[in-house]
Amino acid sequence: MSRRGWLLFIAMGVIWGVPYLLIKVAVGSLSPASLVFLRTGLGALLLLPLAGARGQLRPLLRHWPAVLVFTAAEVTVPWLLLARAEQRLSSSLSGLLIAAVPLVGAILGWAGGTERLGGRRLVGLLIGLAGVAALVGLDVRGGDAVALLEMAGVVIGYAIGPYVLARYLSEVQGAGVTGVSLGLSALVYLPVAAVQRPRHWPGLNVIGAVLVLAILCTAAAFLLFVQLIAEVGPIRATVITYVNPAVAVALGVLVNGEPFTLGIGLGFALVLAGSVLATRRPARVEPVPDAEPISASLARRV
């Protein structure tokens, strides 16, 4: 890759590994619904004018059912579940559990007839599932069962969203879809956020976490990722999926003082190896169009 490609790759690997720590900070003072409203609302204010100026909104009217499904699966439901789960789980553990998204995506692709699971990919799925089991068995207490179910919902949503985008919305521009999804989600959570608004202004650390989540990890991240796709190609760009969990763990341990446990170490190694094997394409498969890899990586974008 070029020097610019490496810089973009490193930037995206960090940017999409940071949200787990920021969410953990924010939910200490804000309700999950309030956090999702602020993040989606600010992100929509940034992306919708840009998408409108580029003429990327009107074409979405022809695809409104798919847009609604994508919005629910990719943003509205999983972002709330993730914020709720991080009220009980560490940011590093949450980031590693999200690393199971490629495994679920491979299963969905097989079930939908768009992917074939050969021996190597099947072994990858089993290894990845063993990694998730290690994380759950070694690092999760019995009282966290609800949080685990919430994380399962996040993983499933993050796998369904890209599938919908790649299959039904590949003809539309991603900035428009993302902006509209953020705007719709903000409208959904507006009434709840109004009722659950904090009685006092949160601390500067919480305000900073929300701003970074909305501006850097949502709006700016998408624009940077499009540049990364153009610079290094769609296949190489998706490799950041395997970098984000490492960043999430490092930040959780170094910044938030979370323990680096045996479950995290073993689970990360197994999930990473399994995801690489389960999502690796045969050498002779034709390159997929840009729209699919962009969509497939949007969710590692929490």
Side-chain angles (χ1 to χ4, degrees):
M1 291 192 296
S2 65
R3 181 179 180 182
R4 182 172 184 270
W6 276 112
L7 290 175
L8 288 169
F9 181 87
I10 294 171
M12 289 308 308
V14 173
I15 288 173
W16 275 341
V18 165
Y20 307 97
L21 175 63
L22 299 179
I23 291 171
K24 187 68 176 178
V25 171
V27 294
S29 300
L30 298 174
S31 71
S34 297
L35 173 59
V36 176
F37 166 71
L38 291 172
R39 182 182 177 185
T40 55
L42 291 173
L45 288 176
L46 294 172
L47 283 181
L48 282 176
L50 178 63
R54 295 178 176 178
Q56 297 177 0
L57 298 180
R58 186 178 295 273
L60 295 177
L61 295 175
R62 300 193 303 270
H63 306 279
W64 65 266
V67 171
L68 292 180
V69 173
F70 171 78
T71 298
E74 185 70 22
V75 179
T76 310
V77 175
W79 285 12
L80 178 69
L81 293 178
L82 179 59
R84 285 175 55 87
E86 286 210 43
Q87 289 180 316
R88 294 177 293 278
L89 300 180
S90 67
S91 63
S92 52
L93 178 58
S94 300
L96 284 184
L97 290 173
I98 292 295
V101 170
L103 303 175
V104 179
I107 295 173
L108 286 177
W110 169 75
T114 59
E115 299 281 352
R116 290 192 300 175
L117 291 180
R120 179 176 59 189
R121 302 185 75 181
L122 185 58
V123 169
L125 285 174
L126 295 176
I127 293 175
L129 292 175
V132 174
L135 287 170
V136 173
L138 296 175
D139 267 22
V140 179
R141 300 181 299 273
D144 294 328
V146 174
L148 282 179
L149 291 175
E150 290 168 341
M151 289 303 301
V154 177
V155 170
I156 293 171
Y158 277 179
I160 292 175
Y163 179 81
V164 172
L165 191 55
R167 183 155 187 169
Y168 300 104
L169 297 170
S170 60
E171 298 178 358
V172 298
Q173 295 296 318
V177 176
T178 305
V180 168
S181 296
L182 293 174
L184 291 174
S185 298
L187 291 176
V188 168
Y189 287 110
L190 174 59
V192 183
V195 173
Q196 297 181 352
R197 65 185 182 276
R199 296 181 179 179
H200 307 285
W201 274 95
L204 291 178
N205 61 330
V206 175
I207 295 174
V210 172
L211 291 176
V212 174
L213 271 173
I215 297 172
L216 181 63
C217 300
T218 303
F222 174 81
L223 300 178
L224 286 175
F225 190 68
V226 171
Q227 295 183 41
L228 178 63
I229 290 287
E231 184 71 23
V232 306
I235 303 301
R236 287 180 178 175
T238 58
V239 178
I240 63 170
T241 299
Y242 310 125
V243 178
N244 304 151
V247 175
V249 171
L251 290 175
V253 172
L254 298 176
V255 178
N256 212 33
E258 298 171 356
F260 185 85
T261 64
L262 174 62
I264 287 179
L266 180 60
F268 173 71
L270 291 175
V271 170
L272 178 62
S275 295
V276 172
L277 289 173
T279 58
R280 187 174 181 180
R281 294 176 177 271
R284 295 186 178 181
V285 171
E286 292 296 325
V288 293
D290 283 3
E292 185 171 352
I294 291 177
S295 64
S297 295
L298 280 176
R300 266 60 89 189
R301 55 217 160 237
V302 291

